[in-house]
Amino acid sequence: MHKKGKTMFFENPPVITGHAGVVGKKEGEGPLAKDFDAIFEDTTMGQQSYELAESAMLHDAIIRALSNASRSPSEVDYVLSGDLLDQCMGSAFALKDLDIASIGLFGACSTMALSLSVGSMLVGGGAECVVAGTSSHFCSSERQFRFPLEYGGQRPPSAQWTVTGAGSAVIEKQSSKENAIKVKAVTIGKITDYGITDANNMGAAMAPAAAGTIYDFLNDTGTKPGDFDLVLTGDLGFTGSKLLYEVLKKEHSIDVSSNHRDCGMMIYDLKKQDVNSGGSGCGCSGSVLCSHIMKQMEQGRLKRVLFVATGALMSPTSSKQGNSIPGIAHAVWLEV
Amino acid sequence: MHKKGKTMFFENPPVITGHAGVVGKKEGEGPLAKDFDAIFEDTTMGQQSYELAESAMLHDAIIRALSNASRSPSEVDYVLSGDLLDQCMGSAFALKDLDIASIGLFGACSTMALSLSVGSMLVGGGAECVVAGTSSHFCSSERQFRFPLEYGGQRPPSAQWTVTGAGSAVIEKQSSKENAIKVKAVTIGKITDYGITDANNMGAAMAPAAAGTIYDFLNDTGTKPGDFDLVLTGDLGFTGSKLLYEVLKKEHSIDVSSNHRDCGMMIYDLKKQDVNSGGSGCGCSGSVLCSHIMKQMEQGRLKRVLFVATGALMSPTSSKQGNSIPGIAHAVWLEV
């Protein structure tokens, strides 16, 4: 692999050999229901806490992705994972019994793109088989970042709904499948701060980061948005997507609106499911990419996808202290 | 690079071209004072919160490491960093104005070894220049994990004192310096759970993970502890170090006691500075490795060091919910 500008290119593109996206009840009632690998009606997963339920869901997604790749945990070099819970406990308790060397990541809602990017670079460098993954849970996020569930706080129109779900993908040097998804290049983003302080408008905090990373990626690869069947963002939602179009047009004269979609707007029916600006959380892009999108690619309906997941880098403490919300975005070029 | 067993070996070992360890007042009164690159008497760093003070300290360490390597931020491919604060805010606010592509990591107190390991693998794979770093701050950790500072809670003998400090190292493909420190191999550890639930005894939670990773490393490399001038753990403290000797002897018939030292026991005078079992926190091994140890290596006093930093994977929430504290440890073979 070699770097050009801010993008790492793979001469021998790593391959996605297995993947799985699993979700909770509400997500299972949305438009992508038929493509999820599992829908859990009981989102407690039989656990004693919502936090352990999130771990159980991530564990499930990883096991399904490995099974889909016909790999056992003992064949995996590294698992790369992170989540939104304090000290990434969602991943710690999901991975602790898997007996796989673990690289903990933190990228907030950008984690699926971050784990795919770093995982691909490790395979590009010398690892044989790695697993990328991430998770989020509405109930564990809500009480950590916002209010106790019982409080029933009102949400402004720009607020998003944290997805209960997890995604995982197995990345290897090669695959025997003909229609395997390849990782052609990855762009790791830098932290961008536009001074947004409204924790109920994370789309606005993340959109400038997405715009910056998309611009760098297109520039380094010499491609245009129209060269991709889909430019897929993670969880900008309705508000953030509109801002992305504006920033890209104004700052870089780039128009992505015609072939852009956002996992946060795809996973729910925005009109019927009362989720305001759309879905969010690491599990949003994790579950949508690793089920619906990757299935569409393997079925030949999508050939070339630019996946850009964004993260809002905030904690309850940083927000209460009046700090801004820096954003980050990482891009992954997927192609069949 | 190529993997053998659980260890990644580098044919062309990445090189540490710059490094810096900076600390607060208390650490500056300890036995390693003369080797730190900066000692901040005012640990608020002139910031409005302890959290932002931690970020300022990490930012300082990174700038010093880059300066030591004669590199500017624009020459860096990736910065890899993480910390103990919720959602890794220490790193987010330290990095946001550096304009470097950022890979967020979470490894709790193992972060210095994790960032060095993943950074070295990225350089081994194709990146030219990466920066690894981490930080912790007594005041931000204490109020997040334990009690408000004003409360003045009593601490049991096994408790440790979170180091106020940060460390950073620049890793590149090659160096013009003759005495440059090379990264010969790295072992990423797996999450180990011995069922420890006492958040005041993190050494016990981390020691089995350290034992496992050290065993795997020695096994893969065909080395003995005596082949290294120093087997350096991150922050096991007095209690955890004793446990490490026991576990290694009992489970693997390995004796590390004669050439083992622990950054947590080196950074303070355990008799005079009232820190119970020793120092802890990401900044403990970060600041000691990137100043004292790396300087000793470049001065020819240490040739071969096995650095093993450990992390206790717990959050206030996971502990309050009665969960165990899983541990993790990553190993880095450093040699001049």
Side-chain angles (χ1 to χ4, degrees):
Chain A
M1 59 188 191
H2 69 280
K3 198 146 168 269
K4 188 185 149 197
K6 298 174 190 309
T7 301
M8 187 68 86
F9 292 81
F10 301 100
E11 284 87 20
N12 300 304
V15 183
I16 309 291
T17 57
H19 51 84
V22 305
V23 294
K25 185 169 182 287
K26 188 182 179 86
E27 294 70 23
E29 292 163 354
L32 306 181
K34 70 170 179 28
D35 276 348
F36 292 121
D37 295 274
I39 296 167
F40 296 103
E41 292 287 319
D42 174 6
T43 51
T44 73
M45 303 290 288
Q47 300 292 321
Q48 291 188 321
S49 69
Y50 294 125
E51 289 74 18
L52 290 177
E54 180 176 335
S55 296
M57 220 170 260
L58 175 57
H59 187 273
D60 183 276
I62 291 173
I63 295 297
R64 282 175 201 268
L66 282 169
S67 161
N68 185 229
S70 305
R71 292 286 175 204
S72 69
S74 66
E75 294 175 285
V76 179
D77 290 318
Y78 306 115
V79 54
L80 300 99
S81 183
D83 55 273
L84 287 168
L85 295 185
D86 295 346
Q87 288 73 53
C88 295
M89 281 302 106
S91 295
F93 284 91
L95 304 179
K96 79 186 181 72
D97 300 319
L98 280 177
D99 211 28
I100 306 176
S102 298
I103 296 174
L105 296 177
F106 180 76
C109 304
S110 76
T111 305
M112 196 65 231
L114 181 62
S115 60
L116 277 178
S117 296
V118 180
S120 298
M121 288 196 276
L122 293 180
V123 169
E128 292 292 332
C129 176
V130 310
V131 173
T134 193
S135 61
S136 57
H137 195 299
F138 176 79
C139 299
S140 61
S141 269
E142 198 65 12
R143 69 177 176 187
Q144 180 182 279
F145 285 104
R146 294 173 197 100
F147 297 107
L149 286 173
E150 297 78 359
Y151 177 68
Q154 289 287 316
R155 308 156 71 85
S158 59
Q160 293 174 245
W161 188 276
T162 306
V163 164
T164 300
S168 177
V170 181
I171 312 167
E172 299 190 57
K173 272 201 194 312
Q174 48 202 11
S175 163
S176 52
K177 294 180 202 166
E178 233 180 65
N179 58 349
I181 302 162
K182 288 177 182 144
V183 181
K184 291 198 68 173
V186 299
T187 309
I188 297 288
K190 59 189 187 212
I191 300 174
T192 310
D193 188 2
Y194 270 45
I196 305 289
T197 53
D198 180 359
N200 274 314
N201 191 356
M202 291 189 296
M206 299 189 289
T213 300
I214 290 172
Y215 171 74
D216 286 337
F217 174 88
L218 296 175
N219 204 29
D220 295 339
T221 55
T223 56
K224 301 179 298 293
D227 293 331
F228 292 85
D229 298 322
L230 186 63
V231 176
L232 180 75
T233 51
D235 58 349
L236 292 176
F238 178 75
T239 314
S241 295
K242 264 183 59 183
L243 269 171
L244 172 68
Y245 303 162
E246 273 180 46
V247 179
L248 271 178
K249 218 167 214 169
K250 207 168 165 182
E251 296 195 1
H252 307 294
S253 306
I254 293 170
D255 181 9
V256 284
S257 61
S258 54
N259 58 345
H260 165 263
R261 292 193 77 187
D262 182 70
C263 298
M265 296 172 70
M266 294 164 72
I267 194 167
Y268 299 119
D269 184 326
L270 262 57
K271 280 183 192 153
K272 290 186 193 156
Q273 287 191 286
D274 191 24
V275 293
N276 301 16
S277 188
S280 70
C282 306
C284 178
S285 64
S287 63
V288 173
L289 181 81
C290 296
S291 62
H292 176 67
I293 298 294
M294 290 191 171
K295 282 179 185 172
Q296 294 251 313
M297 293 186 79
E298 286 169 348
Q299 287 160 6
R301 288 185 218 164
L302 291 170
K303 196 181 172 300
R304 209 185 236 193
V305 173
L306 174 58
F307 172 56
V308 186
T310 53
L313 303 177
M314 54 165 282
S315 76
T317 304
S318 71
S319 285
K320 280 175 201 148
Q321 290 177 348
N323 293 311
S324 59
I325 306 173
I328 196 161
H330 309 295
V332 184
W333 177 349
L334 298 169
E335 187 163 327
V336 175
Chain B
M1 60 189 190
H2 69 279
K3 198 147 169 268
K4 188 186 148 196
K6 297 174 191 307
T7 301
M8 188 68 86
F9 292 80
F10 300 101
E11 284 87 21
N12 299 305
V15 184
I16 309 291
T17 56
H19 51 83
V22 304
V23 293
K25 184 169 183 285
K26 188 181 179 87
E27 294 70 23
E29 291 163 355
L32 306 182
K34 71 170 178 28
D35 276 348
F36 291 122
D37 294 274
I39 296 167
F40 296 103
E41 292 288 319
D42 174 6
T43 51
T44 72
M45 304 291 288
Q47 299 291 321
Q48 291 189 320
S49 69
Y50 294 126
E51 289 73 17
L52 290 178
E54 181 177 335
S55 297
M57 219 171 259
L58 175 57
H59 187 272
D60 183 276
I62 291 173
I63 295 297
R64 281 175 201 270
L66 282 170
S67 161
N68 186 229
S70 305
R71 291 285 175 207
S72 68
S74 66
E75 294 175 285
V76 179
D77 289 318
Y78 306 115
V79 53
L80 300 99
S81 183
D83 55 275
L84 287 167
L85 295 185
D86 295 346
Q87 288 75 52
C88 295
M89 281 301 107
S91 295
F93 284 92
L95 305 179
K96 80 186 181 72
D97 300 319
L98 280 177
D99 210 28
I100 307 176
S102 299
I103 296 174
L105 296 176
F106 181 76
C109 303
S110 76
T111 305
M112 195 66 231
L114 182 62
S115 60
L116 276 177
S117 297
V118 180
S120 298
M121 288 195 276
L122 293 180
V123 169
E128 293 291 333
C129 177
V130 310
V131 172
T134 192
S135 62
S136 57
H137 196 298
F138 176 78
C139 299
S140 61
S141 269
E142 198 65 13
R143 70 176 176 188
Q144 180 182 279
F145 285 105
R146 296 173 195 100
F147 297 105
L149 286 173
E150 297 79 358
Y151 178 69
Q154 289 287 317
R155 305 157 72 86
S158 60
Q160 293 174 246
W161 189 275
T162 306
V163 164
T164 300
S168 178
V170 181
I171 312 167
E172 300 189 57
K173 272 201 192 312
Q174 49 201 11
S175 162
S176 52
K177 294 181 200 164
E178 232 179 68
N179 58 349
I181 302 162
K182 289 178 181 141
V183 181
K184 292 198 65 174
V186 299
T187 309
I188 296 287
K190 61 190 186 212
I191 299 175
T192 310
D193 188 2
Y194 270 45
I196 306 289
T197 53
D198 181 0
N200 275 314
N201 192 356
M202 291 188 298
M206 300 190 288
T213 299
I214 290 172
Y215 170 75
D216 286 336
F217 174 88
L218 296 174
N219 204 31
D220 295 338
T221 55
T223 56
K224 301 179 298 293
D227 293 330
F228 292 84
D229 299 322
L230 187 62
V231 176
L232 180 75
T233 50
D235 59 348
L236 291 175
F238 177 76
T239 314
S241 295
K242 265 184 58 183
L243 268 170
L244 171 69
Y245 303 162
E246 274 180 44
V247 178
L248 270 178
K249 217 167 215 169
K250 209 168 165 183
E251 294 195 2
H252 306 294
S253 305
I254 293 171
D255 181 9
V256 282
S257 61
S258 54
N259 57 347
H260 164 261
R261 293 192 77 188
D262 182 71
C263 297
M265 296 172 69
M266 295 164 73
I267 195 166
Y268 298 120
D269 184 325
L270 262 58
K271 281 183 191 151
K272 290 185 192 155
Q273 287 190 286
D274 190 25
V275 294
N276 301 18
S277 189
S280 70
C282 306
C284 178
S285 64
S287 64
V288 172
L289 181 81
C290 295
S291 62
H292 177 67
I293 298 294
M294 289 190 172
K295 282 179 185 173
Q296 293 251 313
M297 294 186 78
E298 287 171 346
Q299 289 160 7
R301 288 185 217 163
L302 291 170
K303 195 180 171 303
R304 210 185 235 193
V305 173
L306 175 57
F307 172 56
V308 186
T310 53
L313 304 177
M314 52 166 282
S315 76
T317 304
S318 71
S319 285
K320 279 173 201 149
Q321 289 177 349
N323 292 311
S324 58
I325 305 174
I328 196 160
H330 309 296
V332 184
W333 177 348
L334 298 169
E335 188 164 325
V336 175

